[in-house]
């Protein structure tokens, strides 16, 4: 059994919890889930331009954990964009 997951600090919730390509009905489209901590990591690193060590402190996680969260979030978003999938942001 692994260690319990440490709570992550999320400073800003997304304005919407679903993003999808325009012109395609949601019920005909495949989707993927972006965890809320991944959204926050993207916001801090890419939108705010913070260094990983500072962003990790803001999320109350280690730098290595922040980097893993960010890499997973970037993978999810890249797959969705390149395949025309919807992205649902969820806890």
């Amino acid at each position: 059994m692994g260690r319990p997951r440490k709570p992550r600090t999320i400073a800003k919730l997304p304005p919407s919890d679903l993003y999808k390509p325009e012109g395609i009905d949601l019920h005909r489209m495949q989707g993927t889930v972006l965890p809320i901590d991944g959204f926050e990591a993207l916001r801090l690193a890419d939108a705010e331009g913070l260094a990983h060590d500072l962003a990790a402190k803001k999320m109350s996680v280690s730098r290595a954990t922040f980097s893993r969260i960010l890499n997973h979030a970037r993978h999810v978003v890249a797959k969705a964009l390149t395949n025309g999938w919807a992205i649902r942001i969820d806890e």
Side-chain angles (χ1 to χ4, degrees), residues 31-68:
T32 188
V33 175
L34 175 65
I36 191 74
D37 59 352
F39 173 82
E40 181 71 355
L42 286 171
R43 185 184 74 78
L44 292 171
D46 297 334
E48 300 290 327
L50 296 179
H52 287 204
D53 56 343
L54 181 56
K57 286 179 186 171
K58 287 186 176 266
M59 283 187 67
S60 304
V61 295
S62 71
R63 197 194 77 62
T65 298
F66 178 82
S67 292
R68 282 192 296 275

Side-chain angles (χ1 to χ4, degrees), residues 8-54:
R8 284 99 198 258
T9 302
I10 308 299
K12 190 171 183 181
L13 295 175
S16 177
D17 62 354
L18 179 69
Y19 294 88
K20 72 172 199 69
E22 185 177 7
I24 303 172
D25 292 333
L26 186 59
H27 68 276
R28 291 186 11 218
M29 160 185 321
Q30 185 171 347
T32 188
V33 175
L34 175 65
I36 191 74
D37 59 352
F39 173 82
E40 181 71 355
L42 286 171
R43 185 184 74 78
L44 292 171
D46 297 334
E48 300 290 327
L50 296 179
H52 287 204
D53 56 343
L54 181 56

